[in-house]
């Protein structure tokens, strides 16, 4: 990261655990618990193996293939969530390129996210903010991790990229915020996104049965686990479940 142009300081906002980002190097007592995110793009690297093992142990999957698919969605839904939401609300992009990020493995994949420096990324001349987001979050972080998981486990690229799309959408759908704006920003994010993310799912609106509030949910068009896990798991967004049934389930859960 040395020598990279960066913008002003960024102050992470506490909006819940999904968007929680610590700043600076970890305390010495826990330094060995954190992984450098830029090393996770190595399919043969120990860091990727540690994350896969954590996911497999907590989820009970019997294969690395299935663990990889779950891990990708969890990783995208937590590690870069703060950048996706901050961009959606402010049109600024925090620097969550892999070289500026540390992750801590834990139950169901990720237990913590840190940035070495809390700073904003800088657009190239004439570069729209959404293109900067693509460069920082997708090309500079998530898609290389997905490719490493594909090469290590042979999990399908389309399914892994479906996990990337699912995780990025969850960064917006899981927050209580202006639904019109969040829906508009999601459509802008995926319209020309690398990795073909626009074709891998859609957002929809549901109104909670219990609280009556309208929120966004994400419906995958890629089957994440059913055909690849020994447990034949269907997640809440599984494309094998009827769309109306999925929406009713999401509304009841709210």
């Amino acid at each position: 990261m040395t020598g990279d142009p960066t913008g002003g300081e960024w102050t992470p906002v506490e909006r819940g655990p999904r968007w929680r980002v610590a700043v600076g190097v970890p305390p010495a007592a826990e330094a060995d618990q954190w992984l450098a995110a830029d090393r996770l793009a190595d399919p043969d690297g120990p860091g990727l193996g540690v994350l896969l093992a954590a996911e497999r142990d907590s989820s009970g999957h019997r294969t690395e293939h299935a663990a990889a698919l779950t891990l990708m969605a969890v990783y995208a839904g937590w590690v870069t969530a703060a950048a996706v939401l901050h961009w959606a609300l402010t049109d600024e992009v925090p620097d969550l390129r892999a070289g500026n990020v540390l992750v801590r493995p834990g139950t169901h994949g990720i237990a913590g996210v840190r940035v070495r420096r809390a700073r904003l990324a800088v657009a190239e001349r004439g570069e729209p903010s959404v293109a900067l987001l693509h460069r920082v979050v997708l090309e500079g972080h998530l898609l290389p991790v997905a490719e490493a998981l594909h090469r290590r486990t042979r999990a399908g690229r389309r399914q892994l990229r479906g996990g990337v799309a699912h995780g990025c959408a969850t960064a917006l759908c899981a927050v209580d915020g202006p639904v019109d704006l969040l829906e508009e920003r999601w459509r802008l994010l995926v319209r020309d996104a690398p990795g073909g993310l626009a074709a891998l799912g859609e957002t929809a609106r549901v109104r909670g049965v219990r609280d009556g509030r309208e929120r966004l949910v994400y419906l995958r068009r890629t089957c994440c686990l059913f055909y690849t896990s020994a447990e034949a798991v269907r997640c809440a967004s599984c494309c094998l479940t009827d769309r109306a049934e999925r929406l009713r389930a999401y509304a009841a859960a709210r």
Side-chain angles (χ1 to χ4, degrees):
M1 304 298 293
T2 302
D4 287 346
T6 56
E9 295 300 306
W10 167 55
T11 303
V13 176
E14 177 59 63
R15 294 187 174 94
R18 184 178 300 278
W19 306 276
R20 185 175 297 144
V21 177
V23 178
V25 297
E30 59 179 66
D32 61 351
Q33 300 174 25
W34 293 83
L35 304 173
D38 56 353
R39 297 184 181 177
L40 302 177
D42 177 2
D44 300 315
L48 198 62
V50 169
L51 279 183
L52 277 168
E55 180 57 51
R56 190 170 175 178
D57 289 347
S58 60
S59 63
H61 292 316
R62 301 172 193 172
T63 66
E64 277 205 335
H65 186 135
L69 296 175
T70 302
L71 173 61
M72 191 67 252
V74 171
Y75 190 97
W78 288 78
V79 177
T80 57
V84 174
L85 182 60
H86 188 86
W87 165 79
L89 298 177
T90 70
D91 216 34
E92 297 175 333
V93 180
D95 183 8
L96 265 77
R97 288 172 292 181
N100 194 38
V101 175
L102 302 169
V103 299
R104 188 174 66 185
T107 302
H108 207 21
I110 306 299
V113 180
R114 304 184 76 91
V115 288
R116 301 179 192 276
R117 286 184 53 194
R119 58 192 180 185
L120 298 172
V122 173
E124 297 175 351
R125 185 185 296 270
E127 184 180 36
S129 70
V130 66
L132 177 60
L133 183 76
H134 291 165
R135 181 159 58 86
V136 169
V137 169
L138 297 179
E139 296 169 342
H141 200 150
L142 297 180
L143 291 175
V145 174
E147 180 62 21
L149 286 168
H150 165 70
R151 292 173 60 190
R152 184 176 185 124
T153 70
R154 309 314 299 170
R157 282 193 178 97
R158 186 173 186 272
Q159 289 173 287
L160 288 164
R161 290 174 181 176
V164 170
H166 190 184
C168 289
T170 300
L172 303 183
C173 295
V175 71
D176 286 329
V179 176
D180 289 342
L181 173 63
L182 294 174
E183 185 175 48
E184 176 188 339
R185 298 297 272 178
W186 172 250
R187 289 174 178 168
L188 177 61
L189 189 160
V190 297
R191 186 165 58 203
D192 297 311
L197 302 192
L200 302 180
E202 63 171 317
T203 56
R205 296 180 181 225
V206 298
R207 191 170 297 280
V209 172
R210 287 177 286 183
D211 62 12
R213 299 184 64 176
E214 188 177 52
R215 295 179 177 88
L216 286 183
V217 297
Y218 185 72
L219 306 177
R220 293 181 67 147
R221 296 193 184 111
T222 58
C223 182
C224 53
L225 291 174
F226 190 77
Y227 291 118
T228 55
S229 171
E231 298 84 355
V233 174
R234 290 195 187 196
C235 72
S237 182
C238 183
C239 60
L240 298 176
T241 303
D242 178 75
R243 185 178 188 276
E245 183 180 339
R246 284 185 278 171
L247 292 177
R248 285 194 295 270
Y250 274 123
R254 301 289 185 177

